[in-house]
Amino acid sequence: QVKLVESGGGLVQAGGSLRLSCAASGQIFSYYAMGWFRQAPGKEREFVAAISWSGSTTYYADSVKGRFTISRDNAKNTVYLQMNSLKPEDTAVYYCAVQYGMTWSSRHPDDWGQGTQVTVSS
């Protein structure tokens, strides 16, 4: 079983930036796509961004497109989420997720991290 550990969350003012990291360890498959989801209080968990194994293909929710950038470093088994121009509505717990395989699809992720809190003040 793979273990995913997120870091980098915190409190930031609107318009500010944060970079989240997610490190994978344990029984890691040879190829895996990675993604980020978020869940705000009283709302369902929603997709934010994802990246293929090679890093050549990325996917973004419309709400974050142009503000967030997902990237990965396979040598470190780590995926990043650079979040710029943050808005109060970005406040949520952000979860890292993995899908075993080369590309990301719409199916449910195979494993999840524990989450990291991001709070954007107005």
Side-chain angles (χ1 to χ4, degrees), residues 89-105:
E89 50 263 45
D90 294 317
T91 295
V93 177
Y94 282 71
Y95 297 90
C96 176
V98 64
Q99 286 185 355
Y100 302 121
M102 298 287 284
T103 60
W104 185 267
S105 72

Side-chain angles (χ1 to χ4, degrees), residues 20-76:
L20 305 183
S21 299
C22 172
S25 62
Q27 294 183 326
I28 303 173
F29 281 69
S30 297
Y31 305 104
Y32 53 98
M34 298 189 79
W36 290 94
F37 289 73
R38 67 186 181 187
Q39 187 168 18
K43 295 188 177 181
E44 292 187 355
R45 191 172 298 189
E46 64 175 1
F47 171 80
V48 175
I51 187 167
S52 63
W53 161 253
S54 68
S56 61
T57 306
T58 56
Y59 312 84
Y60 295 96
D62 288 342
S63 58
V64 306
K65 206 170 289 183
R67 299 188 298 122
F68 291 10
T69 302
I70 189 170
S71 61
R72 65 187 296 162
D73 183 342
N74 287 346
K76 297 181 179 179

Side-chain angles (χ1 to χ4, degrees), residues 3-6 22 45 93-96 112-117:
K3 181 180 179 182
L4 303 174
V5 179
E6 302 97 333
C22 172
R45 191 172 298 189
V93 177
Y94 282 71
Y95 297 90
C96 176
W112 295 91
Q114 293 301 306
T116 185
Q117 176 71 46

Side-chain angles (χ1 to χ4, degrees), residues 80-95:
Y80 306 97
L81 186 67
Q82 178 67 44
M83 305 185 295
N84 298 330
S85 303
L86 282 161
K87 305 174 182 179
E89 50 263 45
D90 294 317
T91 295
V93 177
Y94 282 71
Y95 297 90

